[in-house]
């Protein structure tokens, strides 16, 4: 996708998810969308905070605490660092990529990051709003994830230390097991967040 197409798509996803900070804002073209989403400012920061909290609700309290205890810049620098941490945990950026959240990276890089987070959020909301008739499909997703995990664990190349390039602190097996237990105890399917199989989020 071009930068203009990506800007339009990110804006549409935000509107579809009813981002409250877009209410009353009229964006008539892709240039205006990119300007709003990628230029440092209060409006952009509010949108990013909403997106991060939507992906991981406990951040709402954390952001409030950081702002309350900070004596400089209303805690914005600390909030930005926490956003970068979330992006790292979601696998959409490196932990040092604070420039993405500060609005200092290229617009294209910023839009790609937002698009990936929004795609995961859309999938999560779709599944958590599933009706009983949808549960069969969700069960198939869970079965596929379990089979993929088995294949990864048994692949000698992936098990070789020389070929391990992922974050070893992310215990995917433990998270899948916890998710499976939640499936059974709650009587409906609870899923691992969208495109981000290493971060377990609950409704």
């Amino acid at each position: 996708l071009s930068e203009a197409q990506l800007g339009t798509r990110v804006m549409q996803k935000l509107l579809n998810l009813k981002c409250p900070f877009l209410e009353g804002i009229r964006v008539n073209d892709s240039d205006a969308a990119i300007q709003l989403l990628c230029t440092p400012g209060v409006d952009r920061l509010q949108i990013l905070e909403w997106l991060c909290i939507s992906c991981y609700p406990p951040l709402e309290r954390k952001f409030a605490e950081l702002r309350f205890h900070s004596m400089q810049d209303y805690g914005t620098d600390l909030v930005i660092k926490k956003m970068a941490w979330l992006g790292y945990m979601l696998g959409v950026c490196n932990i040092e990529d604070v420039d993405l959240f500060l609005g200092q990276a290229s617009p294209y890089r910023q839009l790609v990051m937002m698009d990936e987070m929004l795609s995961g959020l859309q999938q999560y909301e779709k599944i958590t709003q599933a009706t009983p008739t949808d549960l069969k499909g969700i069960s198939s997703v869970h079965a596929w994830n379990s089979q993929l995990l088995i294949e990864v664990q048994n692949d000698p190349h992936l098990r070789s230390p020389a070929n391990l390039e992922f974050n070893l602190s992310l215990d995917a097996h433990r998270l899948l097991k916890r998710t499976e237990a939640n499936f059974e105890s709650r009587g409906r399917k609870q899923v691992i967040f969208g495109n981000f199989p290493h971060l377990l989020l609950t409704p």
Side-chain angles (χ1 to χ4, degrees), residues 16-81:
N16 291 343
L17 289 166
K18 297 180 173 56
C19 174
F21 298 105
L22 291 180
E23 292 182 6
I25 295 180
R26 297 290 180 264
V27 178
N28 299 320
D29 55 52
S30 58
D31 289 340
I34 293 172
Q35 179 76 12
L36 173 64
L37 296 172
C38 301
T39 302
V42 175
D43 290 335
R44 176 184 178 277
L45 184 61
Q46 289 178 328
I47 292 170
L48 281 177
E49 285 194 34
W50 172 84
L51 177 56
C52 290
I53 291 169
S54 297
C55 290
Y56 191 54
L59 280 184
E60 182 172 18
R61 179 177 179 179
K62 186 63 178 179
F63 286 165
E65 290 176 350
L66 291 174
R67 294 193 186 283
F68 180 78
H69 293 293
S70 176
M71 300 296 291
Q72 297 180 344
D73 196 25
Y74 193 45
T76 299
D77 286 345
L78 297 176
V79 168
I80 290 291
K81 289 180 181 179

Side-chain angles (χ1 to χ4, degrees), residues 25-180:
I25 295 180
R26 297 290 180 264
V27 178
N28 299 320
D29 55 52
S30 58
D31 289 340
I34 293 172
Q35 179 76 12
L36 173 64
L37 296 172
C38 301
T39 302
V42 175
D43 290 335
R44 176 184 178 277
L45 184 61
Q46 289 178 328
I47 292 170
L48 281 177
E49 285 194 34
W50 172 84
L51 177 56
C52 290
I53 291 169
S54 297
C55 290
Y56 191 54
L59 280 184
E60 182 172 18
R61 179 177 179 179
K62 186 63 178 179
F63 286 165
E65 290 176 350
L66 291 174
R67 294 193 186 283
F68 180 78
H69 293 293
S70 176
M71 300 296 291
Q72 297 180 344
D73 196 25
Y74 193 45
T76 299
D77 286 345
L78 297 176
V79 168
I80 290 291
K81 289 180 181 179
K82 186 58 67 173
M83 288 181 181
W85 167 83
L86 177 66
Y88 170 72
M89 294 302 296
L90 294 176
V92 300
C93 69
N94 293 320
I95 198 166
E96 67 271 13
D97 286 341
V98 292
D99 58 335
L100 286 170
F101 298 91
L102 287 169
Q104 296 174 352
S106 70
Y108 191 83
R109 283 185 61 213
Q110 295 182 58
L111 291 169
V112 168
M113 178 268 296
M114 293 180 200
D115 187 58
E116 291 181 352
M117 292 179 72
L118 287 164
S119 293
L121 184 58
Q122 283 181 321
Q123 289 185 26
Y124 176 71
E125 291 204 348
K126 181 179 180 180
I127 294 176
T128 55
Q129 293 171 3
T131 63
T133 57
D134 298 323
L135 295 182
K136 182 177 180 181
I138 298 173
S139 179
S140 297
V141 172
H142 176 249
W144 182 87
N145 282 341
S146 297
Q147 181 59 37
L148 177 62
L149 179 61
I150 292 172
E151 292 178 6
V152 169
Q153 289 177 323
N154 292 331
D155 190 313
H157 299 290
L158 292 178
R159 290 174 63 84
S160 172
N163 293 295
L164 286 177
E165 297 181 353
F166 54 85
N167 188 333
L168 295 178
S169 68
L170 303 178
D171 188 346
H173 180 69
R174 174 176 53 81
L175 292 179
L176 280 175
K177 286 298 184 182
R178 185 191 303 170
T179 303
E180 186 175 17

